[in-house]
Structure formats: structure tokens, C-alpha cells
């Protein structure tokens, strides 16, 4: 009997030992189970980082899921490679333009590095068919998530950069892809704005959605701070917010505006406008603090006014034909009553007043707003040139340019600065509908779908955190369960023997 007892005890100890080993292995595999991973940008020696972001297989996919840029570049290198060490300063010169808080051109390219000499990255480098160092790859961030490159798929959006061995050549390659004119000397002003950019680059409108969100937030901040909601203007504000709920290009702003509208009467009657911060016109996740598409070369140019124009254009191309007149009158009243620049709002309202026939189609409203914007640009150009207050990098011009829409011009030889341009209005409408429609939200749609997945993952993580659960392999769980059962059996066996023992006689 005692031998059976000893056998059970030995087996229990062995089972417990195996369980603890499996559990410790699980913790080594997932040391932060139930918590979010943090991206730390450090080089192999643990030194302070450069401008390019160092990634490895553990954070590669997540980094590109979180990226808000239009494009990305990945440099695959090996830390033992002399050519790679010599190339790093060249790569950093270009990364300085696009990465970091002081980037001259933020929100355009996410520049990263992966060390293929680190064995943890071997399979990742193999997926991209890296055969020599350094190797550079270009593509939309979303395409790098779970992606790869083998050079055989001609339709792949990931491309091998075949001419980027110096900073000058890499930037020249980038400019050839974007139609841009970035320079290594481009700098960010002390006031937070850049000295060089090219807002007319095709495709840059995709970055403007974040500026539209910023402009929306600023506009409503000004309305509340200046206590501009009066009994006579309350209806106009509600109508414009209803227009935004239906047709704002940002889902965040549509949701935030809807939340405020539901509670508007209570907030208005209570006069507690500060409670609007609880909701946020574009929610709490909208990025704040800098302009991308609407960035001027000085602190007092472009920015908010540019973002507001993009908002109005983007709403105009989204309304239905039957809503066109309502959208027109609501926009005119909103600018007239809530735009703080008195002279600007009066000029805009005068243009509205000249419209004598109600709009019957979206096309009519879209083209009217485009004509009005060009009229404003023409007036401001003359004023700013005479007062020398124009932005030298972004002078007012008739829009769209031939570069953006060559088919918009019936006479391709006509000067863009001409006082009377022969426009092809069908092509202009087609261009505006695409530019402020699908092109504007192209990047945001991808990020929105990715954020939904990230939020779903976060919910799962929160469930794990709330229950203090540990993620362990099935083998460890079974071993722990077996050990628990054996412990119970051993306890029962011990109690039975104690009960059956006869007391010793003295």
C-alpha cells in the first residue's frame, strides 16, 4: 500500500514539474498575453534611433497596419554588411524628410528597416526574396501586411527599388513615382510648417482627409468658444450638421456629429456647451495638431481655410440630385453665420445671392462651388500680390491645373493664367467627383477597415485582461488538469488510510 502511495506521489510531482515547464514556456512565447505590443525603435546595439524605423518579425505587420502614410519603403539589410553600414547615412537623409515629429513632409512615406542577419527575421526576409543587401521595396503600407515579393507578379503593388544606392538617387526615384519635387534640403520651419512641398502632386488628396477632420474640429471649436449658437442661427447649425451626418467624407466625423445631434437639444437648453467635448465632433481618435495636404510654408497661410474648402467640395460631390438645392442654401447660411472672417463670409454670401435659379442636380451645385472657389482664388491672388502676403510656395491659381486634369481644358495650348479659360465642364465635373470622392477617401477606407479589425482584437484582449486569464498551450492546460485530479485522488487516498488506521496501544 505504501508503495502505491509513493508511486502516486512521485507521479504527481513529475506532472506538476511538466505543467510548470509548459506554463513557463507559454509565458516566454507570449510574455504580455492580453496586452498590446509596443513598438520600440532601437538599433541592434540599443542606441538611440535614427529617422528610419527598425522593425522585426514581431512588429512588422502591426507597424504597417498602424501606418497612416500613403506609401512605405522597407530596407532589408544585414548589420555585418559593410555596404549596409555605409548606406545607412544615405537612407537616413531621405527618412528625415518623411519620418519623425520634425519631418518636412509627414504622412506620405513610412520608411523602415529590417535586419536580415537577425535569425528571427529569416523567414520574413525570405518572403521578400532578399538575395543581396541592402534591398529596398516600395508599396502601400497595407500591402506589406502579411505580404511578400518574388518578382514574378507583375500586378503586385510592392515594387523593388532598383536605383536608390545614394540619398540623391533614392529621392529622385521617389519623385519619379509621385511626380513630386522633394529635395534633401527641405526643412520644417520653427513654426511647424515646411519650406517646400508640392500640393498639386497627383494622389496627394488622399492625405487631405485628415485635414478635413482637423478643419471640422476647428470650425466647431470656434463656434462654441465664441458662443455663436444663437436662437436665430441654431437651425442653420442643425441643418449643416445633418448634412455632415449624411455626407461628411470621414466616418469618424459622421458618427461624432450624429452623437451630438442626438443630444443637441439638451446641450443647447442647458447652455453646457463644454459637454460637447465629451462627444467630439469627429470623435476622440481623429489625429490633431498638424496639416498634411493643406500645410502652408508659413504658420498663417493655408491650413484651416484650405481644409474647409476641401470639406465643402467633398460634401458637394456626395449629395444626391434632390439634395443639391438644400445643400447649397445650408452651406451658404453656415458660412455666412459661422465663419469668423467677416469679409470672407460676406464675399461668399454675395456669390450665393447671385444664384437666381434653384439647383436641380448635383452637377450644377458641384460646378457652382468650383466656380466660386476659383473666383475667390482670383480675387485673393490680386490682393495678396499687391500686399505681398501670399504664400510663395503656394500662390493662388486657377484650378484644376493642366497637370491634374489636362482633359478639363478644351484648348490645351491655353495659358492657365488666362482670364477666360475654355473649360470642358463635363470633364471638370468628372474630375471633381473622383478627386473629392473616391480619391479623397482611398487611404482612409483601407485604414478604417484595418482599425475595425484592430478594435475587434482589442476587445478580445480586454476580455482576457478583465478575467486575468493567461494564454497557455493545450498541453500545459491538460497537464495542470491531470495534476489537479491526481492531487485530489491522493488526498482521498490519504484520508481513507487515516480513517482505517487502528490506534496504537501503549
Amino acid at each position: 500500500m505504501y508503495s502505491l502511495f509513493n508511486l502516486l506521489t512521485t507521479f504527481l510531482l513529475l506532472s506538476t514539474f511538466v505543467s510548470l515547464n509548459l506554463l513557463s514556456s507559454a509565458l516566454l512565447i507570449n510574455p504580455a498575453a492580453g496586452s498590446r505590443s509596443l513598438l520600440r525603435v532601437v538599433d541592434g546595439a540599443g542606441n538611440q534611433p535614427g529617422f528610419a524605423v527598425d522593425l522585426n518579425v514581431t512588429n512588422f505587420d502591426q507597424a504597417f497596419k498602424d501606418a497612416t502614410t500613403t506609401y512605405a519603403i522597407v530596407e532589408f539589410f544585414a548589420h555585418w554588411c559593410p555596404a549596409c553600414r555605409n548606406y545607412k547615412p544615405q537612407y537616413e537623409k531621405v527618412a528625415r524628410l518623411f519620418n519623425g515629429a520634425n519631418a518636412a513632409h509627414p504622412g506620405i512615406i513610412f520608411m523602415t528597416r529590417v535586419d536580415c542577419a537577425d535569425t528571427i527575421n529569416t523567414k520574413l526576409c525570405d518572403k521578400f526574396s532578399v538575395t543581396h543587401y541592402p534591398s529596398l521595396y516600395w508599396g502601400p503600407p497595407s500591402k506589406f501586411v502579411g505580404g511578400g515579393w518574388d518578382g514574378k507578379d507583375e500586378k503586385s503593388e510592392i515594387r523593388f527599388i532598383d536605383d536608390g544606392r545614394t540619398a540623391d538617387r533614392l529621392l529622385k526615384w521617389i519623385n519619379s513615382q509621385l511626380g513630386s519635387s522633394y529635395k534633401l534640403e527641405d526643412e520644417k520651419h520653427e513654426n511647424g510648417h515646411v519650406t517646400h512641398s508640392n500640393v498639386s502632386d497627383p494622389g496627394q488628396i488622399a492625405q487631405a482627409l485628415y485635414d478635413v477632420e482637423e478643419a471640422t474640429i476647428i470650425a466647431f471649436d470656434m463656434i462654441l468658444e465664441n458662443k455663436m449658437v444663437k436662437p436665430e442661427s441654431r437651425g442653420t447649425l442643425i441643418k449643416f450638421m445633418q448634412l455632415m451626418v449624411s455626407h461628411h467624407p470621414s466616418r469618424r466625423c459622421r458618427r461624432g456629429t450624429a452623437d451630438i445631434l442626438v443630444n443637441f437639444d439638451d446641450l443647447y437648453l442647458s447652455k453646457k456647451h463644454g459637454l460637447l467635448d465629451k462627444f467630439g465632433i469627429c470623435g476622440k481618435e481623429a489625429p490633431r495638431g498638424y496639416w498634411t495636404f493643406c500645410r502652408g510654408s508659413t504658420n498663417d497661410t493655408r491650413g484651416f481655410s484650405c481644409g474647409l474648402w476641401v470639406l465643402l467640395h467633398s460634401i458637394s460631390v456626395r449629395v444626391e440630385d434632390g439634395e443639391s438645392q438644400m445643400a447649397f442654401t445650408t452651406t451658404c447660411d453656415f458660412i455666412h453665420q459661422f465663419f469668423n472672417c467677416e469679409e470672407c463670409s460676406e464675399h461668399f454670401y454675395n456669390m450665393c445671392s447671385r444664384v437666381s435659379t434653384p439647383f436641380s442636380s448635383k452637377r450644377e451645385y458641384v460646378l457652382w462651388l468650383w466656380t466660386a472657389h476659383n473666383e475667390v482664388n482670383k480675387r485673393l491672388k490680386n490682393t495678396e500680390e499687391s500686399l505681398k502676403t501670399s504664400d510663395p510656395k503656394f500662390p493662388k491659381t486657377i484650378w484644376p491645373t493642366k497637370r491634374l486634369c489636362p482633359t478639363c481644358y478644351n484648348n490645351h495650348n491655353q495659358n492657365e493664367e488666362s482670364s477666360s479659360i475654355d473649360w470642358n465642364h463635363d470633364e471638370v465635373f468628372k474630375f471633381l467627383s473622383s478627386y473629392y470622392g473616391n480619391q479623397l477617401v482611398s487611404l482612409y477606407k483601407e485604414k478604417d477597415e484595418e482599425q475595425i479589425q484592430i478594435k475587434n482584437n482589442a476587445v478580445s484582449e480586454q476580455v482576457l485582461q478583465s478575467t486575468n486569464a493567461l494564454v497557455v498551450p493545450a498541453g500545459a492546460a491538460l497537464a495542470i488538469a491531470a495534476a489537479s485530479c491526481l492531487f485530489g485522488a491522493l488526498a482521498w487516498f490519504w484520508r481513507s488510510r487515516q480513517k482505517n488506521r487502528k490506534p496504537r496501544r501503549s
Side-chain angles (χ1 to χ4, degrees):
M1 186 67 70
Y2 278 105
S3 60
L4 177 60
F5 176 78
N6 291 334
L7 179 62
L8 286 171
T9 303
T10 302
F11 188 74
L12 174 60
L13 290 173
L14 286 172
S15 300
T16 305
F17 176 75
V18 171
S19 303
L20 290 175
N21 273 279
L22 288 170
L23 180 58
S24 63
S25 298
L27 292 174
L28 286 172
I29 293 170
N30 189 9
S35 63
R36 298 172 187 236
S37 61
L38 299 176
L39 175 62
R40 298 185 62 209
V41 186
V42 295
D43 61 22
N47 298 321
Q48 290 299 317
F51 295 98
V53 178
D54 287 282
L55 301 175
N56 59 48
V57 71
T58 66
N59 55 28
F60 187 86
D61 283 354
Q62 190 62 49
F64 287 108
K65 285 180 181 179
D66 294 341
T68 58
T69 59
T70 309
Y71 298 102
I73 294 178
V74 182
E75 178 203 357
F76 291 99
F77 72 102
H79 62 259
W80 49 258
C81 167
C84 297
R85 291 196 294 267
N86 294 334
Y87 180 67
K88 184 176 181 180
Q90 299 293 317
Y91 192 67
E92 287 291 327
K93 286 181 181 179
V94 180
R96 179 191 68 82
L97 300 176
F98 304 105
N99 284 13
N102 295 313
H105 308 292
I108 298 172
I109 305 173
F110 179 39
M111 299 193 64
T112 67
R113 308 172 80 233
V114 173
D115 185 359
C116 293
D118 189 341
T119 54
I120 194 176
N121 297 322
T122 300
K123 290 185 178 180
L124 175 61
C125 296
D126 288 344
K127 288 174 63 177
F128 287 87
S129 305
V130 178
T131 58
H132 62 273
Y133 309 118
S135 291
L136 304 178
Y137 295 85
W138 161 281
S142 61
K143 301 304 177 182
F144 284 99
V145 179
W149 182 87
D150 59 10
K152 298 178 182 178
D153 185 3
E154 295 181 356
K155 297 182 180 180
S156 174
E157 294 187 55
I158 296 178
R159 297 182 55 193
F160 177 74
I161 300 178
D162 54 3
D163 188 15
R165 286 303 181 90
T166 66
D168 288 317
R169 288 165 65 177
L170 177 57
L171 190 58
K172 181 180 179 181
W173 191 94
I174 291 172
N175 283 331
S176 70
Q177 302 304 306
L178 300 179
S180 54
S181 54
Y182 301 131
K183 299 177 182 178
L184 292 176
E185 297 77 22
D186 291 354
E187 295 285 351
K188 182 179 181 181
H189 274 311
E190 291 182 0
N191 61 16
H193 292 266
V194 295
T195 60
H196 180 86
S197 186
N198 196 337
V199 73
S200 63
D201 292 341
Q204 288 300 303
I205 190 64
Q207 295 296 328
L209 190 69
Y210 303 107
D211 292 349
V212 172
E213 293 177 332
E214 180 89 8
T216 303
I217 295 169
I218 291 175
F220 279 82
D221 282 349
M222 290 193 300
I223 290 172
L224 297 177
E225 289 172 3
N226 293 283
K227 300 179 179 179
M228 300 173 70
V229 185
K230 309 293 183 182
E232 60 273 17
S233 62
R234 177 177 177 272
T236 296
L237 182 60
I238 291 176
K239 287 181 180 178
F240 191 76
M241 291 174 71
Q242 290 172 336
L243 195 62
M244 293 204 322
V245 169
S246 299
H247 302 299
H248 198 292
S250 164
R251 179 178 292 180
R252 284 190 285 237
C253 295
R254 293 198 298 270
R255 287 174 174 171
T257 306
D259 288 341
I260 292 176
L261 270 178
V262 169
N263 297 276
F264 188 87
D265 283 342
D266 293 337
L267 295 171
Y268 178 77
L269 293 174
S270 67
K271 305 298 182 183
K272 295 180 180 179
H273 299 315
L275 289 177
L276 289 178
D277 292 336
K278 172 184 176 183
F279 300 97
I281 195 71
C282 291
K284 296 295 184 180
E285 298 177 353
R288 296 296 309 275
Y290 64 90
W291 302 99
T292 52
F293 177 85
C294 288
R295 177 177 292 220
S297 63
T298 62
N299 198 37
D300 54 355
T301 59
R302 306 191 80 234
F304 172 62
S305 59
C306 166
L308 188 59
W309 272 115
V310 177
L311 170 63
L312 298 182
H313 284 296
S314 65
I315 289 177
S316 74
V317 302
R318 286 172 170 78
V319 300
E320 301 294 335
D321 287 343
E323 300 174 297
S324 56
Q325 180 62 24
M326 177 275 294
F328 164 71
T329 55
T330 299
T331 299
C332 289
D333 291 341
F334 178 79
I335 296 297
H336 188 228
Q337 296 178 23
F338 294 107
F339 193 54
N340 276 0
C341 173
E342 184 176 359
E343 181 180 350
C344 304
S345 64
E346 287 297 331
H347 277 295
F348 192 88
Y349 200 68
N350 287 337
M351 291 189 296
C352 294
S353 301
R354 296 202 300 264
V355 177
S356 56
T357 305
F359 295 125
S360 59
S361 69
K362 172 173 70 175
R363 182 181 184 276
E364 292 175 354
Y365 176 46
V366 168
L367 291 178
W368 174 85
L369 186 63
W370 161 72
T371 302
H373 195 171
N374 271 336
E375 182 178 329
V376 170
N377 278 350
K378 184 177 180 180
R379 175 176 60 82
L380 290 178
K381 179 180 180 180
N382 295 331
T383 303
E384 291 175 354
E385 285 181 350
S386 63
L387 298 176
K388 301 186 183 304
T389 57
S390 62
D391 188 328
K393 300 296 181 182
F394 302 96
K396 296 290 189 296
T397 184
I398 298 301
W399 190 89
T401 62
K402 287 182 181 179
R403 180 179 184 179
L404 277 176
C405 183
T407 59
C408 292
Y409 293 75
N410 281 325
N411 184 355
H412 297 290
N413 296 321
Q414 190 170 20
N415 190 337
E416 293 178 359
E417 301 300 323
S418 173
S419 59
S420 179
I421 295 177
D422 184 13
W423 294 104
N424 183 328
H425 288 94
D426 289 337
E427 289 298 315
V428 171
F429 175 65
K430 186 188 302 182
F431 166 79
L432 295 172
S433 299
S434 173
Y435 193 73
Y436 291 112
N438 291 333
Q439 287 188 48
L440 176 63
V441 299
S442 59
L443 175 65
Y444 189 77
K445 279 184 175 179
E446 291 182 5
K447 299 310 302 175
D448 201 37
E449 291 172 357
E450 291 170 5
Q451 287 301 321
I452 291 174
Q453 183 60 45
I454 291 171
K455 287 181 180 179
N456 289 339
N457 293 340
V459 170
S460 300
E461 291 174 359
Q462 290 170 5
V463 170
L464 289 173
Q465 291 173 347
S466 64
T467 58
N468 292 320
L470 279 176
V471 180
V472 298
L478 290 173
I480 293 170
S484 299
C485 292
L486 285 170
F487 182 81
L490 179 61
W492 174 84
F493 176 74
W494 179 258
R495 287 196 301 270
S496 298
R497 283 193 52 80
Q498 290 296 100
K499 289 180 179 179
N500 295 330
R501 287 183 64 186
K502 294 182 179 180
R504 289 184 180 182
R505 295 183 180 180
S506 56

